[in-house]
Structure formats: C-alpha cells, structure tokens
C-alpha cells in the first residue's frame, strides 16, 4: 500500500486532510461541509482507480487533485444541494407535509370552535 494512503488513514479532522495534502481551504466552507467534502473525496477516489506502478509523488498529487475537486464542489454549492448523504437524497423524494389547518386542530381536540380566553 502506498505511504500516502497509510498517512490519510491515520487522520481524523478534515483540516488534517487539507494540511497533509497541501490544499488551501476557507475555514468557513470547511465548517459547513467538512463531512460532505471528505465523503465526496472518497467517492471520487473510489471512481478513479489509480494505475499500477505510479510512484508515491504521483499518487499524492492525484489525492491532492481529488480533495481539491471535492472541496470545490462545496465552494460553489451547498451540502443539501449536492445531496452527498442519504438523508438529503431522501428528503427530496419525500412528499411535502400536508398543511394542518386551525380547524383540523380544534376538531381533533374535541372543540367545535376556538374561543379566546
């Protein structure tokens, strides 16, 4: 296994990934989308298999480019718009909640009308 992947596996904070790969970031963007960026980075890495025989520096550069690409996705968009997590994808598919009227609430509570106290 390449040394860069061993290094990345030991990291826990999003900031550590950016520092390790020497990718500039805006803390305000990272504070909002840190998990989304790392998840997107993983999906890009999974989709872009590395060619065998690449040297360590080429793999590091590839990882740097992938992190930068994932970060840029959230610079120009939002986590909800990007829907990187299932909960966001499901929220779009779910029907809008029905509107409950005041009449529905008073009938359900056993009152025929609402009277101010």
């Amino acid at each position: 296994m390449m040394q860069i992947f061993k290094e990345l596996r030991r990291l826990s904070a999003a900031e550590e990934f950016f520092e390790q790969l020497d990718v500039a970031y805006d803390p305000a963007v990272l504070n909002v989308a840190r998990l989304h960026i790392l998840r997107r980075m993983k999906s890009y890495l999974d989709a872009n298999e590395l060619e065998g025989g690449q040297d360590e520096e080429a793999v590091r550069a590839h990882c740097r480019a992938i992190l930068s690409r994932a970060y840029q996705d959230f610079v120009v968009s939002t986590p909800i718009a990007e829907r990187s997590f299932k909960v966001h994808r499901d929220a779009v598919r779910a029907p809008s909640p029905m509107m409950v009227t005041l009449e529905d609430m008073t009938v359900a509570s056993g009152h025929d009308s609402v009277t101010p106290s």
Side-chain angles (χ1 to χ4, degrees):
M1 179 185 299
M2 297 297 248
Q3 182 64 29
I4 184 62
F5 292 123
K6 289 178 185 176
E7 293 169 9
L8 293 178
R9 281 200 168 93
R10 289 193 297 258
L11 304 178
S12 59
E15 291 84 353
E16 293 174 344
F17 284 83
F18 283 84
E19 291 164 10
Q20 185 70 33
L21 293 170
D22 196 28
V23 175
Y25 65 93
D26 177 351
V29 172
L30 199 56
N31 285 337
V32 171
R34 67 181 59 247
L35 295 176
H36 303 274
I37 293 167
L38 294 178
R39 182 176 181 109
R40 181 68 53 90
M41 178 189 180
K42 181 187 179 320
S43 70
Y44 286 159
L45 283 171
D46 289 347
N48 293 294
E49 291 187 30
L50 294 170
E51 296 174 16
Q54 289 186 323
D55 68 0
E56 185 70 29
E57 197 48 46
V59 174
R60 185 176 297 274
H62 179 74
C63 290
R64 183 179 303 116
I66 292 291
L67 177 58
S68 182
R69 178 180 168 200
Y71 171 75
Q72 286 304 312
D73 289 349
F74 295 95
V75 167
V76 299
S77 188
T78 66
I80 292 172
E82 291 296 316
R83 299 184 207 343
S84 22
F85 286 96
K86 184 178 184 312
V87 67
H88 294 133
R89 291 187 298 271
D90 289 350
V92 172
R93 287 187 223 127
S96 300
M98 292 180 54
M99 188 166 122
V100 177
T101 66
L102 183 57
E103 181 180 287
D104 292 336
M105 291 173 35
T106 57
V107 171
S109 66
H111 298 93
D112 290 336
S113 62
V114 176
T115 57
S117 34

